[in-house]
Every structure is written in C-alpha cells, then in structure tokens.
Amino acid sequence: MIDDSRAMRKILRSFLADLGFEVLEAGDGQEALEVVSGADSVPELALIDWNMPVMNGLEFVLEVRKRPEWRSMTLVMVTTESEHSQIVKALASGAHEYVIKPFTKDGMIDKLALLGLVPVGVL
C-alpha cells in the first residue's frame, strides 16, 4: 500500500493482513517504485493514495503502466479525491478501481471481490 499517512497505512495493513495478503508499504510513489523493484515478485495489488509528496499516486500508476513486467499488478486508488473528473483520469491512466476515503471495511472487501482478489469464504 502507498500512502503518506502512517495511520492510513496501519489501517490498511491490518485489513489486508486479515484477508491473507503479505503487505509492503511505501510513503510515496517514488518509494513504492523502489519497493516493487526490490520485491521477489510483482505484487498482486497496490492500494494507492493520490495526494503524496515526491511522487503522487497518479504518477505512480502511469509509471507502473509503462513497465510491461508490472502490468499484472492490480491498482486501486484509495483517496479523498472525489470529483468525477479525477476518477475518470485515474481509471483512464490505468487504475482498475477507485475507493473514496473514508471507506468501510465492507466497502473495500466489495471492491476487492469485484476484482477477484478476496479469498473464498471472506464474503
């Protein structure tokens, strides 16, 4: 997960760990590129905040989509940006889904289920 808020990373880490995901964290898009580059395999999922220092979430999505070896990664924007134009921009840039903060655990599970990423028996 990629978010400059430690509190949000803690919430998402707990939630994703409960779903059985191994969680990697980054505080901005640039750090996330470094984490993904150093990982043993391409992460299955990235939850990405839009507004971050150094490299924002949209820039991260665009960078990931330039790299064929990372195209299998599912990208979900999780952000306070709620304008329709921002949602369209993120999805057109390569994000698979968009979740507006604040979100509920059930709402996030529904989005991940829609993407086929929720283990059987969780719903």
Side-chain angles (χ1 to χ4, degrees), residues 50 76-77 79 81-82 86-87 90-91 97-100 111:
W50 189 306
V76 178
M77 297 296 287
T79 181
E81 294 290 336
S82 59
Q86 297 293 78
I87 296 169
L91 296 174
E97 271 297 337
Y98 201 97
V99 176
I100 298 171
K111 286 285 187 179

Side-chain angles (χ1 to χ4, degrees), residues 61-110:
V61 168
L62 291 168
E63 191 60 37
V64 167
R65 291 299 172 231
K66 288 180 192 175
R67 301 180 187 204
E69 67 274 20
W70 291 354
R71 289 208 179 123
S72 65
M73 193 181 333
T74 300
L75 305 176
V76 178
M77 297 296 287
V78 182
T79 181
T80 58
E81 294 290 336
S82 59
E83 286 185 32
H84 181 72
S85 63
Q86 297 293 78
I87 296 169
V88 169
K89 189 179 210 178
L91 296 174
S93 297
H96 293 90
E97 271 297 337
Y98 201 97
V99 176
I100 298 171
K101 294 177 187 174
F103 56 87
T104 64
K105 185 175 182 177
D106 288 341
M108 183 65 79
I109 288 173
D110 289 346

